[in-house]
Amino acid sequence: MIQDLGRRLHGLVDLVRGGALRLSNSSVQIRVKATGAISAEDPVMTDGVDADNVIQVKRADGAAASTLPAIGVAPAAIASGAYGYVTISGPVATTLDTSGATLHDPVYVKNTNGISLTAGTVSDKVGLVLVKSATASRIYVMPEQTA
């Protein structure tokens, strides 16, 4: 059992050293390649893997089940064809107006792009309200695949 735990920890350390996994400000982030332009705060879904086995992502869209489920939220913009990081668990700063929300209210994938306090046509929860604010809120990313 201890040897198995040691192997798992060694594998995790290799992921962190290789840049595929990043722990940042209490968040867990994965390295991804964008197959289309992604804006900061966009929820993303998987779109295959590239030749180097890096997960490819594109914007998730709450308008259709075929563009879900979201696996995380981009904390910063990623240009099409570029590499970046996506938060799969933990806090993310956002401009979403959460001033009228209650702490821990769900945050959803919005129709077209972005996040919202209201579910899109297809409900896909991507996180919870962590800090209420009209302009500088924080959400806790924890995707819940309901699509």
Side-chain angles (χ1 to χ4, degrees):
M1 181 172 207
I2 291 176
Q3 287 176 333
D4 184 47
L5 178 60
R7 279 192 292 272
R8 289 179 187 208
L9 288 174
H10 188 266
L12 181 59
V13 168
D14 286 345
L15 285 172
V16 171
R17 276 194 200 140
L21 183 68
R22 181 165 77 175
L23 307 175
S24 173
N25 298 325
S26 302
S27 293
V28 178
Q29 299 177 332
I30 56 171
R31 184 170 184 254
V32 297
K33 184 175 184 179
T35 58
I38 295 171
S39 299
E41 304 178 25
D42 273 348
V44 299
M45 64 172 288
T46 58
D47 196 25
V49 295
D50 71 5
D52 295 321
N53 286 322
V54 174
I55 296 170
Q56 294 177 314
V57 295
K58 62 182 180 181
R59 286 182 180 168
D61 185 339
S66 62
T67 57
L68 295 170
I71 62 162
V73 174
I78 308 170
S80 182
Y83 293 91
Y85 285 88
V86 169
T87 300
I88 59 171
S89 179
V92 170
T94 176
T95 57
L96 177 66
D97 182 355
T98 59
S99 59
T102 301
L103 289 179
H104 306 127
D105 273 358
V107 176
Y108 298 95
V109 176
K110 184 169 124 179
N111 285 356
T112 310
N113 60 32
I115 53 177
S116 175
L117 296 174
T118 306
T121 303
V122 179
S123 179
D124 190 38
K125 189 168 86 172
V126 75
L128 304 170
V129 173
L130 190 59
V131 175
K132 293 172 41 174
S133 171
T135 58
S137 63
R138 290 177 74 76
I139 65 168
Y140 192 91
V141 175
M142 49 185 280
E144 181 179 287
Q145 279 76 51
T146 55

